[in-house]
Amino acid sequence: MDQKKTFNFGAGPAKLPQTVLLQAQKELLNYSGTGISVLEMSHRSSDFNKILNKTESLLRELLKIPDNYKVMFLQGGGSGQFSAVALNLIGLKEDRCADYLVTGTWSAKAAKEAEKYGKVNIVHPKLDSYTKIPDPSSWTLNPSASYVYYCCNETVHGVEYNFTPETNGVVLVSDMSSNFLSRPVDVSKFGLIYAGAQKNVGCAGVTVVIVREDLLGHALNECPIVLDYKVQAENNSLYNTPPCFSIYIMGLVLDWIKNNGGSAAMEMLNKQKSSMIYDIISASNGFYVCPVQAACRSRMNIPFRVGRKEGDDALEKQFLDGAAKRGMISLKGHRSVGGIRASLYNAVTVEDTEALAAYMREFLKEHQ
């Protein structure tokens, strides 16, 4: 009997392209004629060096990363970078202060962590709920800030920036963990971009950091050496053993993105997929409710409630049970907000999304 198809709408770790999994399976025991697995390979070997260099050059090509930027493959996830960003950059100017835009769970955590190392200024009035991006006219940016920080896509609350903040010359830093390579990005506008791989570009274990060279070498004395960008950049991410297998998987995913038209093609598909779900929500007469303002609704993570604005627990449980019966997994909203959340990263196909859309229409008809 054929196994029923599983539709993975997980927020990360998330679905990987089928071809990537099959290639990893094929090469698992004997990578490229070496007679060993990547899992067993020395990170100092020439074979691993080829994997590392290939992954970096694919990333540089796909994002058109300028030559004066370093690319690093680090450990510690996005949360490790909450600390690393502040430890490396808050000392750029003598005031040791930084501006933060706080539009969801992840930027809030980053701002709280940065407070350990300097003064943090939240540049806009505190939000009652994470459902919008405050109008830039309401921001109070500090010209003597070492950097301005924002999270480009808030995975929990489904809030995404569709513009690049103007910082008037201050270094711009962005956490792009959940929309990395889901659309083109002008890297030259940023001092630093980082992203955990486990959403759009690979599996858990590796975090990409792209940093402009002139920002290296300003780490605070108390910065742990493994988080020091200058040390990691000078050692080509090999100061200590990197997450070798995760870097290898990332290389395969980047190859897949390239072969499927790059970030511009991903953007078109992601718009198509997310519109499909948002259109059903909008046309449901309030049966499905997305709390996020239309202008900043995420194409990656779509949170919604079922039955009414604050959600009907019984209906939401029924919705999730019905979805599970159809092989649709990981649709439960983040524990901090409840409800439903569909994550539509690069590897989630139009067909996967159509299956969810069809179920949403069916459920609506049944219960409205």
Side-chain angles (χ1 to χ4, degrees):
M1 181 184 143
D2 267 2
Q3 198 192 336
K4 184 174 71 177
K5 181 172 161 64
T6 299
F7 302 91
N8 183 357
F9 295 104
K15 181 177 177 175
L16 286 165
Q18 184 78 1
T19 52
V20 166
L21 292 171
L22 289 169
Q23 188 173 347
Q25 179 187 47
K26 189 173 123 225
E27 296 176 337
L28 185 66
L29 300 183
N30 179 358
Y31 175 75
S32 191
T34 57
I36 60 168
S37 173
V38 176
L39 289 163
E40 310 170 285
M41 194 180 274
S42 163
H43 62 296
R44 306 277 175 210
S45 66
S46 63
D47 289 307
F48 181 70
N49 221 32
K50 282 181 198 145
I51 291 172
L52 186 64
N53 292 337
K54 185 190 170 200
T55 304
E56 179 177 340
S57 67
L58 277 166
L59 194 56
R60 284 187 177 278
E61 181 187 343
L62 287 166
L63 280 172
K64 302 183 174 63
I65 299 174
D67 291 344
N68 63 324
Y69 284 73
K70 292 285 189 200
V71 175
M72 296 173 278
F73 301 97
L74 307 180
Q75 295 176 87
S79 299
Q81 291 308 308
F82 298 168
S83 317
V85 164
L87 285 161
N88 281 275
L89 303 182
I90 210 159
L92 281 170
K93 295 182 185 168
E94 58 193 43
D95 287 0
R96 253 170 94 156
C97 63
D99 282 349
Y100 276 70
L101 289 151
V102 176
T103 49
T105 298
W106 299 111
S107 48
K109 288 188 171 187
K112 190 171 190 304
E113 179 62 17
E115 283 173 0
K116 293 176 182 173
Y117 311 111
K119 188 175 177 312
V120 167
N121 167 43
I122 311 298
V123 306
H124 50 82
K126 191 170 172 12
L127 298 173
D128 313 328
S129 62
Y130 294 133
T131 53
K132 63 175 186 189
I133 291 166
D135 191 294
S137 64
S138 72
W139 303 355
T140 318
L141 295 169
N142 174 4
S144 62
S146 292
Y147 60 88
V148 177
Y149 178 106
Y150 76 110
C151 174
C152 199
N153 183 69
E154 289 281 1
T155 321
V156 171
H157 291 91
V159 173
E160 184 174 28
Y161 285 74
N162 55 20
F163 65 96
T164 303
E166 176 50 65
T167 64
N168 308 317
V170 175
V171 170
L172 183 60
V173 173
S174 186
D175 169 3
M176 294 192 182
S177 291
S178 50
N179 64 357
F180 193 59
L181 276 169
S182 68
R183 62 182 185 192
V185 155
D186 181 354
V187 175
S188 69
K189 287 184 173 171
F190 297 84
L192 185 145
I193 291 168
Y194 73 83
Q198 69 277 13
K199 306 187 189 280
N200 274 311
V201 291
C203 62
V206 62
T207 306
V208 181
V209 177
I210 301 165
V211 61
R212 212 172 60 216
E213 283 173 349
D214 60 295
L215 302 176
L216 300 172
H218 302 278
L220 304 180
N221 282 339
E222 60 266 40
C223 181
I225 197 159
V226 290
L227 295 181
D228 188 325
Y229 296 148
K230 185 170 190 282
V231 171
Q232 291 286 10
E234 283 173 351
N235 287 279
N236 193 28
S237 306
L238 295 167
Y239 170 76
N240 62 327
T241 309
C244 302
F245 195 76
S246 300
I247 292 170
Y248 156 71
I249 293 290
M250 187 176 170
L252 298 183
V253 175
L254 295 176
D255 223 6
W256 173 83
I257 291 174
K258 181 184 170 177
N259 294 335
N260 283 279
S263 59
M266 295 298 131
E267 178 175 45
M268 274 173 59
L269 286 168
N270 289 326
K271 278 183 177 164
Q272 184 189 346
K273 292 181 300 187
S274 56
S275 299
M276 218 184 283
I277 304 302
Y278 283 124
D279 288 350
I280 291 171
I281 293 171
S282 303
S284 71
N285 289 322
F287 182 76
Y288 295 122
V289 182
C290 173
V292 182
Q293 278 188 5
C296 54
R297 285 183 175 173
S298 170
R299 299 154 308 125
M300 297 285 103
N301 313 98
I302 304 182
F304 60 94
R305 303 306 300 240
V306 181
R308 56 172 191 260
K309 195 176 164 205
E310 51 289 335
D312 176 318
D313 289 347
L315 270 179
E316 288 179 346
K317 186 180 182 315
Q318 249 181 297
F319 181 89
L320 290 168
D321 290 347
K325 286 196 181 94
R326 289 163 176 77
M328 298 178 193
I329 64 163
S330 300
L331 281 165
K332 197 174 177 7
H334 190 272
R335 60 187 184 279
S336 64
V337 294
I340 315 292
R341 172 176 57 171
S343 295
L344 307 176
Y345 299 126
N346 286 346
V348 175
T349 63
V350 171
E351 296 72 45
D352 295 346
T353 314
E354 278 167 346
L356 175 60
Y359 171 54
M360 286 174 71
R361 279 193 292 267
E362 192 185 311
F363 192 83
L364 170 68
K365 213 156 112 185
E366 212 174 300
H367 295 277
Q368 201 173 28

